[in-house]
Amino acid sequence: MLFDVIANFSIAKESEPDFDNNDSISVSEEKSCFCVSDGVTGSFYSRDWAILLTNNFIENTSLLEISDISQEGDMKLLSKWLNPIQEKWHLSIPWEKFENASEIRKKYFNDGGKATFLGGKVDIINGKKILKIFAVGDSNLFLVRNDTNVLSFPLTNSEEFTSVPNQLFSKERMDPSTQKMSSISGIVKSMTIDIQKDDSIIAATDAVSRWYINTLESDHIETAKNLFSNPWSELFEIKDIKNFKEFVYDKKYLRLMHSDDASLLILKVK
Amino acid sequence: MPYSAEISSGNPALFGFLIDQSTSMKEKMAGGGGIKKSKIVADYIDKFFDGLITRNISGERIKNRFDIFALGYGRDENDNKVYSVLNGWVMDKPPLNLETLDSAKQARTVMKKVIKKEPDGAGGIIEKTTEVPETVNCWINERFAGDTPMEAAFREAYHIINDWTQKHQNSFPPILINVTDGAHNEGEKPEDFARDIRNLRTSDGEVLVFNVYIAEEGSNEPSIKFPSRSDFTSPDQFAQKLFMMSSNVPKEIRDLAVKRDKSLQEDAVGFGCNVDFNDFYDFLDIGTRPAA
């Protein structure tokens, strides 16, 4: 076991029931891997898609070998990883309940589920601890070392957050830019970074990630640092799901965080 | 910041429609390909409801993030001047949530024209127009009869919205859209009730009243949507009155329109004047943006 799980919380947006939470987190201390996924609101069975993606990653982290899907080999790796999950998703849908749907609904059903995804694995290579990470979309990872944020991945500034992030699809669709069938919109980002004992790895879906980056970018952060109001210090104070809800709702009321499902995973490297 | 409340199952938003179903609605709409105004309006609202429900499908459930009502004004089969035109809803009941709306849908098969490419027999391709069956979900009872009792429609809408806002103070403010093709009955003052409705509010802002005045085939008047509060005047007293009855479009909805590449002036008013078919769709697309 190369890390301890310090926090693992996921909540639906306020005034929505928990079963409408489209985020999913999976983590395995034993396998030293973790992931978060955000099912896109308004896409078909996106919650199930996000859960399948995260559960599958813990079983099979081969996705981390992918670095550039414009390369045929990497695209094949992505398909090899995704296709069995897409099949599971397809088999899990009670399609008979959606027969005789209107054209508007048929189009929606045929579009399938969509989700952002961020996965990582801690490993030891040549005696050095490394972190391999893979991301599609705006679920983000932060690495904190010696009370400093040393990495934001894949997004590094608040302007990169858009209303339509890159996504993994539960059904292949025509990519208009390449005129080829694809299971992904946009690009994947991946990297490998050296890590150290006591580093903190923070993985979060877009609401928390965006707040985190906004806070990093805000001018007051330097003066406020000693008051424990940098983003990671606030997150480290969260001890349970109740704390997490209070934190998210407070930020929302202060208009510092977008209203959305919210997920937070904090790992401490051993 | 007003008009920013989260729309959720716990705090749903309300859309209300007032639909002019007077006799003149049987005429063809400008730019509507020979189709009656009453049908184009009903088809659009049906399509809006189906899209709204679809976007709120979560697995096998439907999230009740919106409440809906739709009133017709004209004359129904029981001689009522104002009546429900929404399948599954009666006027003395609260607006329908999306689940109930969905269960009240009526599926119909319509023939849709599509262009198909076929070999021309000489190595080339020809395009042929053909008709294919398509399922559509319907809720709005289309009709055209009687005169135009717009005041009574606004009065009824006032009661519905007043009741709803009292129970949903944390919600995004209701949006009421009135679709008409002309003059209300003589002596009526729908503007009084429109003002009273605009004065209703939730903690997130005042109720929004949008009016769309649709044009008949052959109209030579320019089609105008979302005119400026400071610039617009019309020689048509009814157009002028509808303009005055309409709310300004709040910045939050203007921002949503920009995301659709449709920019509105800062003092844009939620009013469409002599709108043709295309502008009618555009107008309602922007007016209902908070539902997207």
mmCIF file of all heavy atoms in Angstrom, chain B residues 245-282:
data_model
loop_
_atom_site.group_PDB
_atom_site.id
_atom_site.type_symbol
_atom_site.label_atom_id
_atom_site.label_comp_id
_atom_site.label_asym_id
_atom_site.label_seq_id
_atom_site.Cartn_x
_atom_site.Cartn_y
_atom_site.Cartn_z
ATOM 1 N N MET B 245 -46.155 45.431 -21.793
ATOM 2 C CA MET B 245 -46.512 44.382 -20.823
ATOM 3 C C MET B 245 -45.353 43.419 -20.558
ATOM 4 O O MET B 245 -45.443 42.571 -19.657
ATOM 5 C CB MET B 245 -47.697 43.552 -21.361
ATOM 6 C CG MET B 245 -49.034 44.265 -21.289
ATOM 7 S SD MET B 245 -50.278 43.487 -22.370
ATOM 8 C CE MET B 245 -50.357 41.830 -21.721
ATOM 9 N N SER B 246 -44.290 43.520 -21.352
ATOM 10 C CA SER B 246 -43.224 42.505 -21.299
ATOM 11 C C SER B 246 -42.088 42.931 -20.368
ATOM 12 O O SER B 246 -41.773 44.117 -20.245
ATOM 13 C CB SER B 246 -42.659 42.268 -22.699
ATOM 14 O OG SER B 246 -43.694 41.909 -23.591
ATOM 15 N N SER B 247 -41.484 41.943 -19.738
ATOM 16 C CA SER B 247 -40.348 42.189 -18.841
ATOM 17 C C SER B 247 -39.084 42.447 -19.644
ATOM 18 O O SER B 247 -38.935 41.960 -20.772
ATOM 19 C CB SER B 247 -40.082 40.960 -17.971
ATOM 20 O OG SER B 247 -41.213 40.582 -17.253
ATOM 21 N N ASN B 248 -38.159 43.168 -19.045
ATOM 22 C CA ASN B 248 -36.815 43.222 -19.606
ATOM 23 C C ASN B 248 -36.177 41.839 -19.475
ATOM 24 O O ASN B 248 -36.477 41.106 -18.528
ATOM 25 C CB ASN B 248 -35.964 44.228 -18.841
ATOM 26 C CG ASN B 248 -36.256 45.651 -19.286
ATOM 27 O OD1 ASN B 248 -37.298 45.923 -19.880
ATOM 28 N ND2 ASN B 248 -35.334 46.549 -19.008
ATOM 29 N N VAL B 249 -35.329 41.510 -20.422
ATOM 30 C CA VAL B 249 -34.647 40.208 -20.355
ATOM 31 C C VAL B 249 -33.476 40.348 -19.391
ATOM 32 O O VAL B 249 -32.582 41.171 -19.627
ATOM 33 C CB VAL B 249 -34.129 39.769 -21.745
ATOM 34 C CG1 VAL B 249 -33.467 38.404 -21.666
ATOM 35 C CG2 VAL B 249 -35.267 39.758 -22.754
ATOM 36 N N PRO B 250 -33.457 39.603 -18.292
ATOM 37 C CA PRO B 250 -32.360 39.774 -17.340
ATOM 38 C C PRO B 250 -31.017 39.346 -17.931
ATOM 39 O O PRO B 250 -30.965 38.533 -18.865
ATOM 40 C CB PRO B 250 -32.754 38.886 -16.161
ATOM 41 C CG PRO B 250 -33.837 38.011 -16.631
ATOM 42 C CD PRO B 250 -34.441 38.612 -17.856
ATOM 43 N N LYS B 251 -29.975 39.910 -17.355
ATOM 44 C CA LYS B 251 -28.617 39.654 -17.858
ATOM 45 C C LYS B 251 -28.327 38.150 -17.913
ATOM 46 O O LYS B 251 -27.689 37.679 -18.857
ATOM 47 C CB LYS B 251 -27.609 40.341 -16.929
ATOM 48 C CG LYS B 251 -26.167 40.154 -17.353
ATOM 49 C CD LYS B 251 -25.208 40.821 -16.406
ATOM 50 C CE LYS B 251 -23.769 40.647 -16.855
ATOM 51 N NZ LYS B 251 -23.340 39.256 -17.028
ATOM 52 N N GLU B 252 -28.826 37.435 -16.929
ATOM 53 C CA GLU B 252 -28.523 35.998 -16.853
ATOM 54 C C GLU B 252 -29.084 35.261 -18.073
ATOM 55 O O GLU B 252 -28.451 34.331 -18.588
ATOM 56 C CB GLU B 252 -29.102 35.403 -15.560
ATOM 57 C CG GLU B 252 -28.405 35.870 -14.289
ATOM 58 C CD GLU B 252 -28.598 37.342 -13.978
ATOM 59 O OE1 GLU B 252 -29.588 37.954 -14.441
ATOM 60 O OE2 GLU B 252 -27.739 37.906 -13.278
ATOM 61 N N ILE B 253 -30.247 35.676 -18.555
ATOM 62 C CA ILE B 253 -30.796 35.021 -19.759
ATOM 63 C C ILE B 253 -30.091 35.562 -21.001
ATOM 64 O O ILE B 253 -29.839 34.809 -21.951
ATOM 65 C CB ILE B 253 -32.327 35.216 -19.833
ATOM 66 C CG1 ILE B 253 -32.991 34.492 -18.647
ATOM 67 C CG2 ILE B 253 -32.888 34.686 -21.158
ATOM 68 C CD1 ILE B 253 -34.505 34.529 -18.643
ATOM 69 N N ARG B 254 -29.728 36.835 -20.988
ATOM 70 C CA ARG B 254 -28.955 37.359 -22.138
ATOM 71 C C ARG B 254 -27.632 36.606 -22.260
ATOM 72 O O ARG B 254 -27.184 36.280 -23.362
ATOM 73 C CB ARG B 254 -28.696 38.856 -21.966
ATOM 74 C CG ARG B 254 -29.950 39.724 -21.994
ATOM 75 C CD ARG B 254 -29.615 41.177 -22.330
ATOM 76 N NE ARG B 254 -28.558 41.732 -21.534
ATOM 77 C CZ ARG B 254 -28.705 42.332 -20.345
ATOM 78 N NH1 ARG B 254 -29.918 42.443 -19.818
ATOM 79 N NH2 ARG B 254 -27.671 42.818 -19.684
ATOM 80 N N ASP B 255 -27.012 36.320 -21.122
ATOM 81 C CA ASP B 255 -25.748 35.569 -21.150
ATOM 82 C C ASP B 255 -25.957 34.166 -21.718
ATOM 83 O O ASP B 255 -25.108 33.647 -22.455
ATOM 84 C CB ASP B 255 -25.143 35.465 -19.740
ATOM 85 C CG ASP B 255 -24.601 36.812 -19.250
ATOM 86 O OD1 ASP B 255 -24.480 37.740 -20.081
ATOM 87 O OD2 ASP B 255 -24.323 36.936 -18.042
ATOM 88 N N LEU B 256 -27.091 33.553 -21.353
ATOM 89 C CA LEU B 256 -27.375 32.216 -21.892
ATOM 90 C C LEU B 256 -27.598 32.284 -23.399
ATOM 91 O O LEU B 256 -27.208 31.375 -24.143
ATOM 92 C CB LEU B 256 -28.622 31.618 -21.221
ATOM 93 C CG LEU B 256 -28.498 31.292 -19.725
ATOM 94 C CD1 LEU B 256 -29.855 30.890 -19.155
ATOM 95 C CD2 LEU B 256 -27.493 30.165 -19.500
ATOM 96 N N ALA B 257 -28.205 33.395 -23.853
ATOM 97 C CA ALA B 257 -28.443 33.559 -25.293
ATOM 98 C C ALA B 257 -27.127 33.691 -26.043
ATOM 99 O O ALA B 257 -26.974 33.155 -27.149
ATOM 100 C CB ALA B 257 -29.324 34.780 -25.539
ATOM 101 N N VAL B 258 -26.159 34.375 -25.425
ATOM 102 C CA VAL B 258 -24.850 34.552 -26.078
ATOM 103 C C VAL B 258 -24.208 33.195 -26.342
ATOM 104 O O VAL B 258 -23.563 32.982 -27.376
ATOM 105 C CB VAL B 258 -23.935 35.444 -25.195
ATOM 106 C CG1 VAL B 258 -22.499 35.420 -25.697
ATOM 107 C CG2 VAL B 258 -24.469 36.872 -25.172
ATOM 108 N N LYS B 259 -24.425 32.267 -25.412
ATOM 109 C CA LYS B 259 -23.860 30.923 -25.604
ATOM 110 C C LYS B 259 -24.461 30.240 -26.821
ATOM 111 O O LYS B 259 -23.921 29.256 -27.305
ATOM 112 C CB LYS B 259 -24.098 30.075 -24.352
ATOM 113 C CG LYS B 259 -23.222 30.501 -23.181
ATOM 114 C CD LYS B 259 -23.447 29.604 -21.981
ATOM 115 C CE LYS B 259 -22.592 30.087 -20.814
ATOM 116 N NZ LYS B 259 -22.946 29.427 -19.560
ATOM 117 N N ARG B 260 -25.612 30.726 -27.262
ATOM 118 C CA ARG B 260 -26.236 30.199 -28.485
ATOM 119 C C ARG B 260 -25.936 31.112 -29.672
ATOM 120 O O ARG B 260 -26.652 31.092 -30.668
ATOM 121 C CB ARG B 260 -27.755 30.106 -28.314
ATOM 122 C CG ARG B 260 -28.183 29.284 -27.125
ATOM 123 C CD ARG B 260 -28.263 27.842 -27.422
ATOM 124 N NE ARG B 260 -29.398 27.523 -28.271
ATOM 125 C CZ ARG B 260 -29.726 26.299 -28.642
ATOM 126 N NH1 ARG B 260 -28.980 25.296 -28.246
ATOM 127 N NH2 ARG B 260 -30.762 26.078 -29.404
ATOM 128 N N ASP B 261 -24.905 31.937 -29.519
ATOM 129 C CA ASP B 261 -24.520 32.896 -30.568
ATOM 130 C C ASP B 261 -25.645 33.865 -30.896
ATOM 131 O O ASP B 261 -25.815 34.284 -32.044
ATOM 132 C CB ASP B 261 -24.076 32.168 -31.848
ATOM 133 C CG ASP B 261 -22.828 31.354 -31.608
ATOM 134 O OD1 ASP B 261 -21.995 31.799 -30.791
ATOM 135 O OD2 ASP B 261 -22.700 30.285 -32.208
ATOM 136 N N LYS B 262 -26.450 34.198 -29.892
ATOM 137 C CA LYS B 262 -27.522 35.157 -30.119
ATOM 138 C C LYS B 262 -27.361 36.277 -29.098
ATOM 139 O O LYS B 262 -27.653 36.087 -27.917
ATOM 140 C CB LYS B 262 -28.884 34.476 -29.937
ATOM 141 C CG LYS B 262 -29.157 33.477 -31.050
ATOM 142 C CD LYS B 262 -30.288 32.557 -30.718
ATOM 143 C CE LYS B 262 -30.444 31.509 -31.812
ATOM 144 N NZ LYS B 262 -31.352 30.427 -31.433
ATOM 145 N N SER B 263 -26.841 37.396 -29.552
ATOM 146 C CA SER B 263 -26.595 38.443 -28.579
ATOM 147 C C SER B 263 -27.788 39.396 -28.505
ATOM 148 O O SER B 263 -28.419 39.724 -29.513
ATOM 149 C CB SER B 263 -25.284 39.142 -28.935
ATOM 150 O OG SER B 263 -25.506 40.416 -29.355
ATOM 151 N N LEU B 264 -28.126 39.795 -27.289
ATOM 152 C CA LEU B 264 -29.261 40.701 -27.050
ATOM 153 C C LEU B 264 -28.735 41.994 -26.451
ATOM 154 O O LEU B 264 -27.759 41.976 -25.694
ATOM 155 C CB LEU B 264 -30.236 40.062 -26.057
ATOM 156 C CG LEU B 264 -31.380 39.193 -26.581
ATOM 157 C CD1 LEU B 264 -30.894 38.066 -27.460
ATOM 158 C CD2 LEU B 264 -32.183 38.629 -25.421
ATOM 159 N N GLN B 265 -29.403 43.106 -26.774
ATOM 160 C CA GLN B 265 -29.001 44.383 -26.198
ATOM 161 C C GLN B 265 -29.243 44.380 -24.689
ATOM 162 O O GLN B 265 -30.082 43.637 -24.196
ATOM 163 C CB GLN B 265 -29.819 45.512 -26.816
ATOM 164 C CG GLN B 265 -29.677 45.579 -28.334
ATOM 165 C CD GLN B 265 -30.709 46.522 -28.916
ATOM 166 O OE1 GLN B 265 -30.496 47.717 -28.965
ATOM 167 N NE2 GLN B 265 -31.842 45.984 -29.322
ATOM 168 N N GLU B 266 -28.531 45.281 -23.996
ATOM 169 C CA GLU B 266 -28.644 45.319 -22.533
ATOM 170 C C GLU B 266 -30.067 45.596 -22.065
ATOM 171 O O GLU B 266 -30.486 45.115 -21.019
ATOM 172 C CB GLU B 266 -27.717 46.392 -21.962
ATOM 173 C CG GLU B 266 -26.342 45.862 -21.647
ATOM 174 C CD GLU B 266 -25.508 46.851 -20.877
ATOM 175 O OE1 GLU B 266 -26.067 47.630 -20.086
ATOM 176 O OE2 GLU B 266 -24.288 46.850 -21.103
ATOM 177 N N ASP B 267 -30.788 46.442 -22.839
ATOM 178 C CA ASP B 267 -32.159 46.758 -22.408
ATOM 179 C C ASP B 267 -33.188 46.016 -23.269
ATOM 180 O O ASP B 267 -34.281 46.515 -23.527
ATOM 181 C CB ASP B 267 -32.407 48.274 -22.431
ATOM 182 C CG ASP B 267 -32.294 48.852 -23.835
ATOM 183 O OD1 ASP B 267 -31.781 48.141 -24.733
ATOM 184 O OD2 ASP B 267 -32.728 50.001 -24.038
ATOM 185 N N ALA B 268 -32.797 44.802 -23.686
ATOM 186 C CA ALA B 268 -33.711 44.000 -24.515
ATOM 187 C C ALA B 268 -34.980 43.652 -23.730
ATOM 188 O O ALA B 268 -34.933 43.362 -22.535
ATOM 189 C CB ALA B 268 -33.014 42.719 -24.959
ATOM 190 N N VAL B 269 -36.092 43.690 -24.448
ATOM 191 C CA VAL B 269 -37.387 43.385 -23.839
ATOM 192 C C VAL B 269 -37.852 42.022 -24.363
ATOM 193 O O VAL B 269 -37.672 41.716 -25.550
ATOM 194 C CB VAL B 269 -38.412 44.488 -24.208
ATOM 195 C CG1 VAL B 269 -39.802 44.142 -23.672
ATOM 196 C CG2 VAL B 269 -37.947 45.828 -23.657
ATOM 197 N N GLY B 270 -38.453 41.247 -23.495
ATOM 198 C CA GLY B 270 -38.938 39.918 -23.879
ATOM 199 C C GLY B 270 -40.202 40.011 -24.705
ATOM 200 O O GLY B 270 -41.288 39.604 -24.272
ATOM 201 N N PHE B 271 -40.054 40.553 -25.893
ATOM 202 C CA PHE B 271 -41.194 40.773 -26.776
ATOM 203 C C PHE B 271 -40.786 40.462 -28.213
ATOM 204 O O PHE B 271 -39.706 40.834 -28.664
ATOM 205 C CB PHE B 271 -41.644 42.243 -26.660
ATOM 206 C CG PHE B 271 -42.731 42.624 -27.640
ATOM 207 C CD1 PHE B 271 -43.918 41.905 -27.711
ATOM 208 C CD2 PHE B 271 -42.562 43.706 -28.494
ATOM 209 C CE1 PHE B 271 -44.910 42.246 -28.621
ATOM 210 C CE2 PHE B 271 -43.544 44.058 -29.405
ATOM 211 C CZ PHE B 271 -44.723 43.328 -29.470
ATOM 212 N N GLY B 272 -41.663 39.767 -28.923
ATOM 213 C CA GLY B 272 -41.461 39.537 -30.347
ATOM 214 C C GLY B 272 -42.609 40.180 -31.093
ATOM 215 O O GLY B 272 -43.774 39.981 -30.732
ATOM 216 N N CYS B 273 -42.298 40.986 -32.101
ATOM 217 C CA CYS B 273 -43.330 41.761 -32.797
ATOM 218 C C CYS B 273 -43.441 41.328 -34.251
ATOM 219 O O CYS B 273 -42.436 41.338 -34.979
ATOM 220 C CB CYS B 273 -42.946 43.251 -32.726
ATOM 221 S SG CYS B 273 -44.199 44.318 -33.428
ATOM 222 N N ASN B 274 -44.615 40.928 -34.663
ATOM 223 C CA ASN B 274 -44.839 40.459 -36.040
ATOM 224 C C ASN B 274 -43.872 39.348 -36.418
ATOM 225 O O ASN B 274 -43.325 39.338 -37.520
ATOM 226 C CB ASN B 274 -44.679 41.607 -37.040
ATOM 227 C CG ASN B 274 -45.782 42.613 -36.896
ATOM 228 O OD1 ASN B 274 -46.958 42.265 -36.910
ATOM 229 N ND2 ASN B 274 -45.398 43.875 -36.728
ATOM 230 N N VAL B 275 -43.625 38.457 -35.491
ATOM 231 C CA VAL B 275 -42.588 37.460 -35.769
ATOM 232 C C VAL B 275 -43.080 36.415 -36.772
ATOM 233 O O VAL B 275 -44.240 35.993 -36.752
ATOM 234 C CB VAL B 275 -42.080 36.754 -34.487
ATOM 235 C CG1 VAL B 275 -41.418 37.740 -33.542
ATOM 236 C CG2 VAL B 275 -43.165 35.974 -33.799
ATOM 237 N N ASP B 276 -42.150 36.060 -37.637
ATOM 238 C CA ASP B 276 -42.437 34.989 -38.588
ATOM 239 C C ASP B 276 -42.030 33.654 -37.950
ATOM 240 O O ASP B 276 -41.579 33.612 -36.796
ATOM 241 C CB ASP B 276 -41.720 35.244 -39.925
ATOM 242 C CG ASP B 276 -40.214 35.343 -39.769
ATOM 243 O OD1 ASP B 276 -39.678 34.869 -38.745
ATOM 244 O OD2 ASP B 276 -39.564 35.909 -40.676
ATOM 245 N N PHE B 277 -42.151 32.604 -38.714
ATOM 246 C CA PHE B 277 -41.900 31.258 -38.194
ATOM 247 C C PHE B 277 -40.501 31.131 -37.573
ATOM 248 O O PHE B 277 -40.343 30.665 -36.450
ATOM 249 C CB PHE B 277 -42.068 30.249 -39.341
ATOM 250 C CG PHE B 277 -41.704 28.849 -38.982
ATOM 251 C CD1 PHE B 277 -42.582 28.059 -38.253
ATOM 252 C CD2 PHE B 277 -40.498 28.309 -39.374
ATOM 253 C CE1 PHE B 277 -42.245 26.761 -37.904
ATOM 254 C CE2 PHE B 277 -40.157 27.011 -39.043
ATOM 255 C CZ PHE B 277 -41.034 26.235 -38.310
ATOM 256 N N ASN B 278 -39.480 31.569 -38.313
ATOM 257 C CA ASN B 278 -38.106 31.423 -37.810
ATOM 258 C C ASN B 278 -37.890 32.202 -36.524
ATOM 259 O O ASN B 278 -37.286 31.711 -35.569
ATOM 260 C CB ASN B 278 -37.094 31.892 -38.863
ATOM 261 C CG ASN B 278 -36.895 30.855 -39.925
ATOM 262 O OD1 ASN B 278 -37.046 29.656 -39.671
ATOM 263 N ND2 ASN B 278 -36.587 31.303 -41.136
ATOM 264 N N ASP B 279 -38.381 33.439 -36.520
ATOM 265 C CA ASP B 279 -38.173 34.267 -35.334
ATOM 266 C C ASP B 279 -38.999 33.772 -34.154
ATOM 267 O O ASP B 279 -38.619 33.956 -32.999
ATOM 268 C CB ASP B 279 -38.498 35.739 -35.636
ATOM 269 C CG ASP B 279 -37.331 36.427 -36.334
ATOM 270 O OD1 ASP B 279 -36.236 35.831 -36.370
ATOM 271 O OD2 ASP B 279 -37.514 37.543 -36.855
ATOM 272 N N PHE B 280 -40.118 33.158 -34.449
ATOM 273 C CA PHE B 280 -40.934 32.573 -33.372
ATOM 274 C C PHE B 280 -40.128 31.490 -32.652
ATOM 275 O O PHE B 280 -40.038 31.463 -31.422
ATOM 276 C CB PHE B 280 -42.219 31.992 -33.967
ATOM 277 C CG PHE B 280 -43.076 31.246 -32.977
ATOM 278 C CD1 PHE B 280 -43.735 31.917 -31.960
ATOM 279 C CD2 PHE B 280 -43.225 29.868 -33.064
ATOM 280 C CE1 PHE B 280 -44.528 31.235 -31.044
ATOM 281 C CE2 PHE B 280 -44.013 29.180 -32.157
ATOM 282 C CZ PHE B 280 -44.662 29.866 -31.143
ATOM 283 N N TYR B 281 -39.489 30.611 -33.425
ATOM 284 C CA TYR B 281 -38.668 29.557 -32.832
ATOM 285 C C TYR B 281 -37.494 30.146 -32.065
ATOM 286 O O TYR B 281 -37.173 29.714 -30.967
ATOM 287 C CB TYR B 281 -38.184 28.582 -33.931
ATOM 288 C CG TYR B 281 -39.092 27.386 -34.078
ATOM 289 C CD1 TYR B 281 -40.444 27.556 -34.379
ATOM 290 C CD2 TYR B 281 -38.623 26.099 -33.902
ATOM 291 C CE1 TYR B 281 -41.293 26.469 -34.499
ATOM 292 C CE2 TYR B 281 -39.472 24.998 -34.020
ATOM 293 C CZ TYR B 281 -40.797 25.186 -34.316
ATOM 294 O OH TYR B 281 -41.645 24.111 -34.422
ATOM 295 N N ASP B 282 -36.859 31.144 -32.676
ATOM 296 C CA ASP B 282 -35.711 31.785 -32.023
ATOM 297 C C ASP B 282 -36.126 32.453 -30.717
ATOM 298 O O ASP B 282 -35.431 32.362 -29.714
ATOM 299 C CB ASP B 282 -35.146 32.876 -32.943
ATOM 300 C CG ASP B 282 -33.905 32.396 -33.661
ATOM 301 O OD1 ASP B 282 -33.554 31.222 -33.503
ATOM 302 O OD2 ASP B 282 -33.302 33.212 -34.379
#
